[in-house]
């Protein structure tokens, strides 16, 4: 029976205290991204399946194995979004984007991938992401990465390792693919089953396969950066120089290709040692995504960070959001007759900006004090028949245990006076 009440594997219920940390991440994202001119966009969780298949690539693991796809009652194929970029591009294309115009958006929310659940790997996970769409410049890539690093530092995670690589331009692809084939074909027997399939379907992905058995073959593979044409080389050199000029440390990671096919030019990931096996905190890069009805693909640069992983990284560093008490004040009412004026007092306190929990059953003083303690309130405001008759409130400071009788009209200034903050 209990198993039927548990959330599905790879999904979680999120309770108040966890959400305090969660909301602090979201607030930090909003503050940081708005400093760079990004505004929020919320796209639907459910989209036509094509939105993802045409953007992410038919041969990616996400499309092949992980999407939650189903037919609705009207026979349409729909998918729960496995990532945010494809839907953002659909939304921007739907609004229309003039040539050379730039849109900067950020988003946050649930994403769904049917992966094997593990620490830091969920089936419903949550991303905070950004996309700068419409303009092509290596300096935009530099600024986007700088924003990610600032965001992580603001969150109290200054020690993520930034890994950087390039996938070059589409016109480089044939040359790189031919060289990779030359390298991997004679080593087919050394590769895992997935990579044996990838040799035909998506040979670049073999480069960042994590299977230990594939490592000898991938470690000796030719480097993409050595095979690119001059335009791609120059773009990447500018990105590297721009990051150096801003004092942002990075490691060249020649085998980083990323799991989605829409990338070209810059690709990057930030990994963190506090995360264990699923060590990618955030990933992104420059991409081009074809949209129906448009001759040219839409180009952009962006990244997404997993909220669950950001929280794990913060936990590993001992960083916590200030744990806010659930209420500042507990209004204790002793007996039925006092309840109504207890609620009125609570309203006055809320008008003054305080978070108030008011008693509604009139149970014993001991039970109400226990509730106030549980909520971590700073004040218990106690009233029974005696206080009602005298027009006072007994204000108990929960930290010092001092109690003072205060006229009811003076309670707000009394408990908010500076020495009590
Ligand atoms: P991604 O690398 O697939 O990229 O995901 C970005 C981040 O989402 C990962 O670094 C990780 O923190 C988190 N993540 C991914 N899968 C899971 C999972 N199953 N459980 C928990 N966290 C997960 C993208 O999604 C691209 N759309 C990023 C992007 C934006 N590229 C350009 N713009």
């Amino acid at each position: 029976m209990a198993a039927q009440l548990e959330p599905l594997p790879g999904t979680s219920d999120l309770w108040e205290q966890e959400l305090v940390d969660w909301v602090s991440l979201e607030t930090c994202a909003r503050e940081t991204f708005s400093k760079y001119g990004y505004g929020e966009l919320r796209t639907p969780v459910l989209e036509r399946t094509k939105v993802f298949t045409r953007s992410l690539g038919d041969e990616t693991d996400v499309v092949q194995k992980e999407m939650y796809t189903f037919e609705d009652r009207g026979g349409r194929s729909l998918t729960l979004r496995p990532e945010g970029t494809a839907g953002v591009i659909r939304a921007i294309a739907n609004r229309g984007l003039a040539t050379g115009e730039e849109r900067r958006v950020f988003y946050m929310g649930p994403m769904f991938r049917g992966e094997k659940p593990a620490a830091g790997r969920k089936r419903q996970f949550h991303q905070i992401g950004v996309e700068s769409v419409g303009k092509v410049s290596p300096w935009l890539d530099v600024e986007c990465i700088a924003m990610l690093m600032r965001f992580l530092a603001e969150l109290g995670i200054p020690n993520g390792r930034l890994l950087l690589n390039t996938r070059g331009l589409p016109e480089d692809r044939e040359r790189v693919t031919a060289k990779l084939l030359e390298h991997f074909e004679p080593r087919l027997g050394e590769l895992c089953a997935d990579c044996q399939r990838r040799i035909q379907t998506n040979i670049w992905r073999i480069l960042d396969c994590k299977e230990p058995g594939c490592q000898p073959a991938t470690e000796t593979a030719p480097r993409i950066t050595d095979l690119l044409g001059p335009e791609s080389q120059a773009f990447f050199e500018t990105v590297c120089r721009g990051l150096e000029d801003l004092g942002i440390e990075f490691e060249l990671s020649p085998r980083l290709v990323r799991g989605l096919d829409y990338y070209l030019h810059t690709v990057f990931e930030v990994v963190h040692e506090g995360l264990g096996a699923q060590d990618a905190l955030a990933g992104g890069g420059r991409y081009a995504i074809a949209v129906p009805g448009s001759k040219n693909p839409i180009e952009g640069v962006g990244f997404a960070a997993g909220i669950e992983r950001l929280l794990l990284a913060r936990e590993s560093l001992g960083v916590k959001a200030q744990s806010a008490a659930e209420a500042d004040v507990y209004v204790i009412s002793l007996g039925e007759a006092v309840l109504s004026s207890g609620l009125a007092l609570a309203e006055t306190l809320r008008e003054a900006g305080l978070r108030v929990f008011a008693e509604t059953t009139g149970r014993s003083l001991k039970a109400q004090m226990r509730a106030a303690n549980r909520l971590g309130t700073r004040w218990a405001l106690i009233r029974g028949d005696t206080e009602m008759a005298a027009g006072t409130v007994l204000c108990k400071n929960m930290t010092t245990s001092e109690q003072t009788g205060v006229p009811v009209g003076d309670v707000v200034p009394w408990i908010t006076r500076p020495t009590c903050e």
Side-chain angles (χ1 to χ4, degrees), residues 33 82-85 107-109 111 113 125-131 144 147-148 151-152 258 260 262-263 268-270 280-285 287 301-307 309-310:
F33 302 157
E83 58 98 62
T85 312
Y107 50 90
M108 41 188 92
M111 310 288 160
R113 295 185 193 173
F125 60 100
H126 299 77
Q127 283 186 343
I128 294 181
V130 308
E131 313 294 345
C144 184
M147 181 168 81
L148 170 59
F151 173 51
L152 295 176
R258 307 265 305 130
L260 307 164
Y262 48 52
Y263 291 111
F268 55 91
E269 263 177 25
V270 177
L281 260 186
Y287 52 84
V301 60
F303 63 78
I307 296 187
R309 295 192 192 174
L310 293 172

Side-chain angles (χ1 to χ4, degrees), residues 11 41 49 67 76 151 210 233 245 276 289 298 330 361 370 372 374 380 384 402 408-409 418:
T11 70
L41 172 64
T49 300
M67 291 204 310
R76 286 166 288 249
F151 173 51
K210 303 283 185 292
Q233 300 268 12
D245 289 350
I289 293 181
I298 291 187
Y330 199 107
T361 62
R370 215 182 295 128
R374 238 191 344 258
E402 258 173 75
V408 69

Side-chain angles (χ1 to χ4, degrees), residues 22 26 43-46 80-84 107-113 123-128 307-308:
W22 199 278
E26 294 178 349
T43 63
V45 167
L46 201 55
L80 286 173
R81 62 180 183 198
E83 58 98 62
Y107 50 90
M108 41 188 92
M111 310 288 160
F112 303 85
R113 295 185 193 173
R123 290 183 174 161
Q124 176 177 331
F125 60 100
H126 299 77
Q127 283 186 343
I128 294 181
I307 296 187
E308 288 82 356

